[in-house]
Amino acid sequence: MGRGAVGPPSRYSRLVAENIDRLRKEAGIAVGELISRAGLTKSYYQSRAGLQMPFNTNDIEALAAVLDVTPAALANPDPALSTELRIPVSVISSR
């Protein structure tokens, strides 16, 4: 038995769907090719991309593999949030 409705998409769900589409376009991959290579059906993908249902972690992993990015990069709609700041130890120890 399938799950019922999960409610309206969250802001995060919308951003993840937009990120998937942005990365797909940057990679120059057509939607049909992405769906096929990720092992998803058209209706399944469209229900997630159309925000009727959220992408799950298995979807994220499969799509990330096709797009040649990490699942974290795919699920993180704000690249600025994943930027590392590296400060040399000498700068920290001099404080």
Side-chain angles (χ1 to χ4, degrees):
M1 179 181 270
R3 282 180 43 184
V6 293
S10 68
R11 178 179 177 273
Y12 176 74
S13 292
R14 287 190 302 275
L15 291 173
V16 168
E18 290 169 6
N19 194 40
I20 291 168
D21 196 47
R22 178 183 61 79
L23 291 169
R24 178 193 61 77
K25 289 175 182 175
E26 286 176 6
I29 299 174
V31 174
E33 181 182 353
L34 176 68
I35 293 168
S36 174
R37 289 175 52 194
L40 306 175
T41 66
K42 183 178 178 181
S43 62
Y44 181 90
Y45 178 81
Q46 287 178 336
S47 70
R48 271 102 186 125
L51 303 173
Q52 287 98 20
M53 295 289 292
F55 285 101
N56 66 41
T57 55
N58 292 332
D59 302 333
I60 298 290
E61 283 186 291
L63 293 165
V66 174
L67 295 170
D68 197 28
V69 298
T70 65
L74 192 61
N76 183 2
D78 187 353
L81 296 176
S82 63
T83 302
E84 287 186 33
L85 178 61
R86 295 182 182 238
I87 301 171
V89 173
S90 60
V91 172
I92 296 172
S93 61
S94 67
R95 291 181 165 213

